[in-house]
Amino acid sequence: MPVPDTPTSPATPSAYLPRSVRAREQAHRRAILIGIGALITMSTSPVFGHHLLSGTGQVFIGRDHIVGICLIALHELLAPVHFGFHVVLALGLGYATFDRLRAMQAARMTLGALDATVPSDGSPIMRAAAVVGLSRKDLCVIAGLPTPAFTAGWWRPRVYVAAEITELLDQPHLIAVLAHEAEHLRRRDPLRLSVLRFLACTLFYLPTFRRLADDAADEAEIIADDAAVRGHPLVLAQTLVLLATAWSGGAGRRPHAVRSSVSAFAVGFQHVGLIDRRVRRLVGEDVPIRTHVTMRSLVSAVALLVAIAVSGIVMAHPLAAQEVDVPHGMAERSTHAMPERVKDRAHCRHDGELAIAHLFCLGFHHHAADHPCPHASR
């Protein structure tokens, strides 16, 4: 069946998919966003929350014990852990900044070294670009590019197209390629994915975040596919198969250093599993959605988030001594002039004992004969 040279876009880009598939993909994308937001909030707010919000410790005043557990002893035990999370987060922020600066420099050097030209008016690439709304300033044509096409640039993204692509694709397939890249450009996906990479490096101790970021990158390709369908999903499916076959067979050969650098931009063409999913859904299969998140990464993330949350909550407990009531008779028997209300400066700091030794307050801790046990006095 002939395919029109200028296909039109339907009202809903993914209308060609069964409703169940659309609902599943939307649920998956919501789960990715919720997961990313939850990991950011749960990994950072306990670290800084009690420093930024005044009065958080007021909730714990007069509550130095919970079910026999001494909060002051727990505070002393978890203080190094909490400080460690501050250090790790600071290291992650430094690493993320370095990673993005290095990526920016690598992109500038790699793209600057390529012999890019602007497509001429009337060329197949320019005619296809006009159909999808790309202007000449949005396009760069490069001979020998190790990937058919990709979009790069954080502040001013541009579409880079292999010059050899016109020898392989006819006009409808070329339109499908540029429509896909035009959606990346419109959504500013390079900047979006770079921000996710920055956050993943900052939270490097949570591998689940990096895996969710990989899922988000996959979904960016799927969304761009839906925009590129333009009423003819089989055209895009044929295009993907043709390009995957041609470039894996040797088209667009470049030195290894250039191939490695460009592969950082061409996310959608570097993973065989993603290509398989894209083609199968375009031909109407009910293909399952595979996530990069593993059970091991989830378990490790939950354990680490619990440690971060507990240490942050316990740090909100005021370690400063609180006034406690001392029975009047016990104060009279003291060999020291101890007032009826004293500052409990020795609470959970018994001489010669570690905090772990009195984490559980059961009322039999050692204390001076003329001083009440601060645990028993409560």
Side-chain angles (χ1 to χ4, degrees), residues 100 151-154 157-158 184-185 187-195 265:
R100 291 298 84 197
T151 302
W154 296 348
R158 303 182 75 180
H184 283 313
L185 188 145
R187 287 168 45 88
R188 304 188 70 87
D189 280 335
L191 179 60
R192 290 170 181 256
L193 298 181
S194 182
V195 170
F265 312 124

Side-chain angles (χ1 to χ4, degrees), residues 2 10 17 21 27 40-41 43 101 119 149 171 177 242 264 342 349:
L17 293 172
V21 175
I40 294 175
T41 302
S43 62
L101 290 176
Q171 197 68 7
V177 171
L242 287 171
V342 297
R349 296 182 182 181

Side-chain angles (χ1 to χ4, degrees), residues 20-99:
S20 59
V21 175
R22 296 201 303 268
R24 187 192 312 142
E25 290 183 343
Q26 288 298 326
H28 178 63
R29 290 164 193 167
R30 283 195 296 268
I32 293 173
L33 292 177
I34 292 173
I36 288 174
L39 287 180
I40 294 175
T41 302
M42 297 174 67
S43 62
T44 57
S45 58
V47 178
F48 299 108
H50 67 97
H51 297 297
L52 301 177
L53 301 177
S54 60
T56 54
Q58 301 296 321
V59 178
F60 295 100
I61 292 181
R63 297 177 179 273
D64 290 338
H65 302 82
I66 295 180
V67 195
I69 299 178
C70 177
L71 293 181
I72 295 182
L74 192 61
H75 186 130
E76 293 182 342
L77 289 172
L78 293 183
V81 177
H82 182 70
F83 176 75
F85 286 127
H86 278 275
V87 173
V88 168
L89 196 57
L91 291 175
L93 187 61
Y95 169 57
T97 302
F98 169 76
D99 178 79

Side-chain angles (χ1 to χ4, degrees), residues 69-151:
I69 299 178
C70 177
L71 293 181
I72 295 182
L74 192 61
H75 186 130
E76 293 182 342
L77 289 172
L78 293 183
V81 177
H82 182 70
F83 176 75
F85 286 127
H86 278 275
V87 173
V88 168
L89 196 57
L91 291 175
L93 187 61
Y95 169 57
T97 302
F98 169 76
D99 178 79
R100 291 298 84 197
L101 290 176
R102 181 180 60 181
M104 183 184 297
Q105 181 66 18
R108 184 180 294 112
M109 293 179 61
T110 300
L111 299 178
L114 298 175
D115 298 327
T117 60
V118 178
S120 59
D121 293 334
S123 65
I125 292 180
M126 200 62 232
R127 290 201 308 270
V131 174
V132 301
L134 290 175
S135 63
R136 292 184 63 186
K137 65 180 181 180
D138 296 324
L139 292 168
C140 287
V141 179
I142 302 172
L145 199 63
T147 189
F150 64 87
T151 302

Side-chain angles (χ1 to χ4, degrees), residues 79-358:
V81 177
H82 182 70
F83 176 75
F85 286 127
H86 278 275
V87 173
V88 168
L89 196 57
L91 291 175
L93 187 61
Y95 169 57
T97 302
F98 169 76
D99 178 79
R100 291 298 84 197
L101 290 176
R102 181 180 60 181
M104 183 184 297
Q105 181 66 18
R108 184 180 294 112
M109 293 179 61
T110 300
L111 299 178
L114 298 175
D115 298 327
T117 60
V118 178
S120 59
D121 293 334
S123 65
I125 292 180
M126 200 62 232
R127 290 201 308 270
V131 174
V132 301
L134 290 175
S135 63
R136 292 184 63 186
K137 65 180 181 180
D138 296 324
L139 292 168
C140 287
V141 179
I142 302 172
L145 199 63
T147 189
F150 64 87
T151 302
W154 296 348
W155 314 120
R156 189 182 179 280
R158 303 182 75 180
V159 176
Y160 295 80
V161 185
E164 298 81 4
I165 200 172
T166 57
E167 302 172 5
L168 180 66
L169 303 180
D170 56 18
Q171 197 68 7
H173 295 92
L174 191 55
I175 289 173
V177 171
L178 293 185
H180 177 98
E181 299 303 330
E183 182 66 8
H184 283 313
L185 188 145
R186 186 189 68 81
R187 287 168 45 88
R188 304 188 70 87
D189 280 335
L191 179 60
R192 290 170 181 256
L193 298 181
S194 182
V195 170
L196 282 179
R197 170 74 181 182
F198 177 86
L199 293 173
C201 290
T202 302
L203 305 178
F204 67 94
Y205 47 91
L206 290 173
T208 305
F209 193 99
R210 183 182 295 273
R211 295 176 180 274
L212 285 173
D214 290 339
D215 282 351
D218 289 353
E219 292 308 306
E221 295 298 324
I222 299 298
I223 292 172
D225 278 350
D226 288 340
V229 164
R230 304 174 68 83
H232 301 282
L234 292 183
V235 174
L236 182 57
Q238 292 171 354
T239 304
L240 290 174
V241 173
L242 287 171
L243 294 179
T245 303
W247 258 258
S248 64
R253 290 300 185 184
R254 279 273 181 168
H256 176 72
V258 176
R259 293 200 307 270
S260 300
S261 299
V262 171
S263 66
F265 312 124
V267 176
F269 236 85
Q270 301 302 318
H271 304 292
V272 176
L274 180 57
I275 290 284
D276 179 71
R277 177 192 169 192
R278 293 169 64 186
V279 172
R280 290 174 61 189
R281 73 188 291 273
L282 286 169
V283 298
E285 289 190 30
D286 189 3
V287 57
I289 300 175
R290 295 183 179 180
T291 177
H292 295 270
V293 178
T294 63
M295 183 58 66
R296 177 179 297 182
S297 67
L298 278 177
V299 171
S300 63
V302 169
L304 196 57
L305 290 175
V306 168
I308 294 173
V310 171
S311 65
I313 293 172
V314 170
M315 288 305 104
H317 181 277
L319 195 58
Q322 304 293 331
E323 288 188 348
V324 298
D325 289 325
V326 178
H328 181 71
M330 190 174 292
E332 289 178 345
R333 291 195 299 271
S334 173
T335 57
H336 303 282
M338 187 168 62
E340 291 187 8
R341 295 183 64 82
V342 297
K343 294 287 186 179
D344 179 18
R345 300 186 184 279
H347 181 75
C348 285
R349 296 182 182 181
H350 301 173
D351 293 338
E353 293 186 22
L354 299 175
I356 190 65
H358 47 88

